[in-house]
Amino acid sequence: MNQDLSITTLLLHASLPVQLVVLLLVTVSVASWAAIVRKYFALKRMRALNDEFERDFWSGTSLNELFASAAQNAKHGGPMERIFASGMREYQKLRERRVSDAGTLLDGARRAMRASFQRELDAGESNLSFLATVGSVSPYVGLFGTVWGIMHAFTGLAALEQVTLSTVAPGIAEALVATAIGLFAAIPAVVGYNRFAREIDRIAISLETFIEEFSNILQRNLSAAPGQGVPPANPAASGH
């Protein structure tokens, strides 16, 4: 006798625990794909904004003009622009308090930029823990559904006098569907997590490099004009 072993039919005839497991995995899979799409476009936008600000920074625009633009664009700017703004803001606050020591000015700006860098890194890593959890847990959830389905299938077969392949196949097949869906949910999450983690590492390295370069610009300027603490009008003139 021919039997319909399509996935839809198998799930409709599966036991309630297996159906609940499959429903959970499908929901998690949809959520992980949504997180992957959001993170992809967020990191793409982050890279574009960082590149745009870095071009402006080294184009010869004065730091005061860059800071004024960054202050107005705080909510829509990129991480590098916000890090720059936090350093300049702290620098100017110390100047307003008539702090003239070059080491204090530089240390204050550097600490503010490092704090802003950590906030940007935390924001960039959001949802990565969810993808890691989906990638590591989903196969085991699917395996639980498979084990339960096989137990249920063999329990039903115990009452039969004669067991053939046609009586065993549907129960085993519906149980294995749970494992297949668990892998379907886990594999994209693992791939997305690994790719985004590498991308965030590259962005973090570029931000740390910018912090060091900007700190060096401030240090050279403060050394050239001791006691004045005036930022350079042209960062490109201080060297790239």
Side-chain angles (χ1 to χ4, degrees):
M1 181 177 60
N2 295 329
Q3 299 187 44
D4 186 1
L5 297 180
S6 65
I7 294 179
T8 302
T9 303
L10 291 174
L11 291 178
L12 289 175
H13 292 85
S15 61
L16 179 60
V18 175
Q19 291 178 338
L20 292 177
V21 166
V22 170
L23 178 61
L24 174 62
L25 290 173
V26 170
T27 303
V28 168
S29 179
V30 172
S32 66
W33 273 106
I36 288 171
V37 172
R38 287 197 304 268
K39 181 60 65 177
Y40 171 80
F41 285 105
L43 292 180
K44 182 178 179 180
R45 180 175 181 271
M46 187 182 298
R47 290 193 304 269
L49 291 174
N50 284 347
D51 291 342
E52 180 181 357
F53 175 76
E54 195 167 16
R55 285 193 299 268
D56 293 339
F57 183 82
W58 296 110
S59 66
T61 306
S62 70
L63 295 182
N64 288 331
E65 290 179 3
L66 286 173
F67 177 61
S69 175
Q72 294 177 354
N73 198 37
K75 294 183 178 180
H76 304 288
M80 189 176 291
E81 187 173 9
R82 286 191 288 267
I83 289 173
F84 164 79
S86 64
M88 283 293 294
R89 188 179 301 110
E90 183 66 18
Y91 179 92
Q92 291 190 352
K93 285 181 180 179
L94 292 175
R95 292 281 295 133
E96 291 173 358
R97 297 174 185 172
R98 304 195 179 279
V99 176
S100 58
D101 180 67
T104 303
L105 288 169
L106 185 61
D107 188 52
R110 187 187 292 271
R111 284 200 309 269
M113 287 190 291
R114 296 300 301 184
S116 179
F117 165 78
Q118 191 58 53
R119 288 193 297 270
E120 297 296 338
L121 189 61
D122 291 341
E125 292 177 344
S126 62
N127 290 331
L128 284 189
S129 60
F130 172 72
L131 292 180
T133 301
V134 172
S136 60
V137 174
S138 293
Y140 295 102
V141 175
L143 183 60
F144 167 77
T146 296
V147 172
W148 185 279
I150 292 176
M151 291 173 54
H152 180 264
F154 278 107
T155 301
L157 294 174
L160 299 179
E161 295 181 358
Q162 183 178 3
V163 178
T164 63
L165 182 60
S166 61
T167 57
V168 175
I172 302 300
E174 72 183 31
L176 292 175
V177 168
T179 296
I181 295 179
L183 294 175
F184 177 79
I187 292 174
V190 172
V191 174
Y193 173 84
N194 291 334
R195 175 175 177 176
F196 296 146
R198 289 194 300 269
E199 186 65 30
I200 290 172
D201 286 342
R202 287 195 290 266
I203 292 175
I205 291 173
S206 68
L207 293 178
E208 288 181 322
T209 301
F210 172 78
I211 291 174
E212 294 303 318
E213 289 177 335
F214 183 44
S215 299
N216 290 336
I217 290 173
L218 289 179
Q219 186 175 25
R220 286 194 294 267
N221 180 77
L222 291 171
S223 299
Q228 295 182 13
V230 180
N234 185 349
S238 300
H240 191 303

